[in-house]
Amino acid sequence: MLSGKNILIGITGGIAAYKICELIRMYKRMNANVRVVCTPNALNFVTKLTLQNLSQNDVGVEEFNIEQYKPEHISYADEADIMVIAPATANTIGKIANGICDNLLTSVVCAFNKPIIIAPAMNCGMWENEFVQENIMKLVNAGFYIMEPESGFLACGYEGKGRLCSLDKIYDKTVELLSVNKILSGKKVVITSGGTIEAIDTVRYISNYSSGKMGAALADVAYEMGADVILITTKDVQKPYGVVKVKSAIDMKDAVEREYDSSDCIIMAAAVADYRAKNIADYKMKKSESNEISIELIKNPDILKSLCEMKQKEAVAVGKGSSVLNIEPHKSPVIVGFCAESENLMENAKIKIAKKGCDYLIANDISRKDIGFSSDYNEVSVISKSGTIKNLSKATKKEIAKQIFEEIYG
Ligand code: C5P
């Protein structure tokens, strides 16, 4: 996977810098081309000669090299397919998050427009510092891949979170990002996620246990595959792509329909409540003397079905020859639904795809504890309108998301 790839490693001045010698060897063993840029402080922990020998390349530290005609930060940024900053100190993280470029490494980052992995390592108190955390959130929002530090015994003598994550994790993330197929580039993908929240009064609501993880994984992967992504969700999330926060099924329907015309693919991964309270009290309802109360519920609109009906109408209009008007017909989006069942999964899924009229239905068994709701794993079947079935075996939700897009667009 890494053969011939250009990996730029950025090393900053933390004690974990010595571990990066092994990371360079791991990449080199797979025939990657490795170049290293260091902050001047990094060289207090590891020598330039070591890094040069391991990477078999010059090591960049100085920003202004008078023997080079090209500005160095631009050439480093142009040549690399990916940048890996490890260890990343609180200082360098702060500079990157605030656009400061006062050395070669930070200037390269500023000019870099490909994936950047950041593996922080620092004292646990520094990691917990609210400004450091604010900077990390800024980087997450801007699309940097942060490798969370691990907990344990730290070089400074403290016990806590701050150790550089394992080199295997950094290596695997590098492989994952370099093997992403940009099959969604130029496409707009809209994804819904989370359980809808249906108000009863000003303080109470009806909802469900959906974690929103499958929808978020689909959105993350679509983004990595080059799509313009909109995630319509009931959860609080910070992402480097568009997020629309909604509460109820009605809000979600409005938000999705607003995106319909401009989207190429809509995936309804949200757990939309089937019913909502008929009357929502605009005050906090009082406890009554009675042991029982009733809340009258009415059916929510079926968002997926109504999207499929919109698509059907477009197909009919095009069929009737609306293009005679010389208007380019709207290219209807691919519509994908989810089918969460606890019994007779495939039978119900086949009935559902026909009833809803969507192009694909992703069927998952929510009776299993090891996958589905709240889990980071899933195991699904992708059923198409034409009747094909592709079973995707148990994997992380991100891996499943990748395989779903490959099934639809591959
Ligand atoms: O009908 P059922 O809830 O089993 O179908 C699940 C699929 O339909 C999911 O894709 C879900 O997001 C969508 N759905 C919807 N509107 C509803 C209920 C479900 O779009 N009111």
Side-chain angles (χ1 to χ4, degrees):
M1 281 312 208
L2 295 186
S3 179
K5 298 286 184 193
N6 298 304
I7 302 174
L8 178 61
I9 301 187
I11 306 179
T12 73
I15 179 64
Y18 78 93
K19 296 183 180 173
I20 308 311
C21 298
E22 182 52 29
L23 184 64
I24 298 172
R25 285 180 54 75
M26 289 164 78
Y27 291 140
K28 289 294 290 181
R29 253 181 245 132
M30 291 298 144
N31 297 321
N33 304 316
V34 177
R35 287 193 83 185
V36 178
V37 284
C38 287
T39 61
N41 277 329
L43 297 182
N44 291 322
F45 297 95
V46 61
T47 76
K48 203 171 172 181
L49 189 63
T50 311
L51 300 170
Q52 262 165 6
N53 273 284
L54 293 174
S55 67
Q56 296 165 322
N57 256 320
D58 284 344
V59 171
V61 185
E62 305 302 332
E63 188 160 13
F64 304 105
N65 183 345
I66 47 169
E67 272 138 44
Q68 282 258 358
Y69 109 91
K70 272 207 278 184
E72 284 216 270
H73 56 281
I74 305 294
S75 64
Y76 276 99
D78 281 350
E79 282 164 20
D81 298 306
I82 193 165
M83 183 168 187
V84 180
I85 307 175
T89 55
N91 178 49
T92 295
I93 287 168
K95 288 181 192 174
I96 298 170
N98 291 286
I100 295 170
C101 326
D102 64 347
N103 58 36
L104 180 61
L105 190 151
T106 48
S107 301
V108 172
V109 175
C110 206
F112 207 82
N113 59 4
K114 284 157 278 184
I116 302 184
I117 296 173
I118 296 195
M122 61 195 74
N123 159 272
C124 48
M126 291 172 84
W127 174 250
E128 280 157 19
N129 177 283
E130 68 175 293
F131 299 114
V132 172
Q133 284 305 312
E134 233 173 62
N135 289 332
I136 291 283
M137 278 330 293
K138 268 188 171 182
L139 296 180
V140 170
N141 292 340
F144 289 76
Y145 298 92
I146 305 294
M147 308 297 299
E148 285 258 323
E150 291 171 1
S151 296
F153 182 65
L154 306 177
C156 54
Y158 283 77
E159 186 96 24
K161 189 167 177 181
R163 280 165 63 102
L164 183 76
C165 73
S166 77
L167 299 184
D168 284 343
K169 280 192 188 159
I170 302 175
Y171 178 87
D172 289 349
K173 190 75 195 171
T174 314
V175 173
E176 181 195 316
L177 292 173
L178 286 175
S179 53
V180 169
N181 195 345
K182 298 273 180 190
I183 48 175
L184 299 180
S185 125
K187 299 205 185 305
K188 177 168 174 183
V189 178
V190 175
I191 294 155
T192 64
S193 84
T196 61
I197 297 164
E198 311 296 340
I200 297 171
D201 65 12
T202 50
V203 294
R204 301 175 181 97
Y205 60 83
I206 302 169
S207 191
N208 57 65
Y209 290 119
S210 170
S211 63
K213 284 183 180 176
M214 191 63 232
L218 282 158
D220 288 351
V221 168
Y223 175 73
E224 284 164 17
M225 287 179 154
D228 171 13
V229 178
I230 303 283
L231 176 64
I232 298 171
T233 179
T234 57
K235 305 285 176 190
D236 278 316
V237 288
Q238 295 198 294
K239 298 287 181 186
Y241 45 77
V243 175
V244 179
K245 175 101 191 276
V246 291
K247 275 199 165 128
S248 67
I250 303 270
D251 295 345
M252 186 172 274
K253 183 171 189 281
D254 288 348
V256 180
E257 287 182 356
R258 262 197 304 274
E259 303 294 341
Y260 179 89
D261 279 341
S262 59
S263 60
D264 296 285
C265 179
I266 303 179
I267 305 184
M268 287 292 307
V272 183
D274 291 320
Y275 294 90
R276 67 179 188 276
K278 187 171 180 190
N279 301 304
I280 303 171
D282 57 4
Y283 54 90
K284 181 183 174 218
M285 281 156 62
K286 281 265 169 242
K287 196 188 322 187
S288 81
E289 289 304 313
S290 164
N291 281 338
E292 287 179 19
I293 62 156
S294 300
I295 301 166
E296 209 176 335
L297 301 178
I298 53 166
K299 211 163 202 170
N300 261 331
D302 189 324
I303 309 170
L304 179 61
K305 200 163 176 213
S306 79
L307 292 173
C308 296
E309 283 165 1
M310 284 164 84
K311 181 165 170 166
Q312 205 102 49
K313 278 190 198 136
E314 282 185 332
V316 172
V318 171
K320 279 186 183 156
S322 61
S323 53
V324 177
L325 299 172
N326 249 351
I327 305 166
E328 185 72 17
H330 171 244
K331 198 171 172 308
S332 307
V334 174
I335 299 178
V336 185
F338 266 74
C339 169
E341 298 283 342
S342 43
E343 53 214 29
N344 304 330
L345 179 64
M346 289 314 277
E347 252 170 72
N348 288 334
K350 283 178 196 160
I351 297 169
K352 195 164 289 178
I353 194 167
K355 211 163 99 188
K356 302 254 186 184
C358 51
D359 299 293
Y360 292 90
L361 195 69
I362 317 296
N364 67 337
D365 180 351
I366 53 164
S367 67
R368 279 176 55 180
K369 291 263 175 315
D370 59 328
I371 55 167
F373 268 24
S374 299
S375 166
D376 289 323
Y377 291 83
N378 215 346
E379 183 178 316
V380 305
S381 297
V382 182
I383 305 167
S384 77
K385 205 181 196 163
S386 61
T388 60
I389 298 174
K390 172 94 178 178
N391 299 316
L392 306 180
S393 42
K394 186 178 168 185
T396 61
K397 287 186 170 171
K398 274 198 86 171
E399 182 53 35
I400 293 285
K402 184 170 158 257
Q403 292 181 38
I404 290 173
F405 284 117
E406 281 168 354
E407 190 54 27
I408 300 174
Y409 286 103

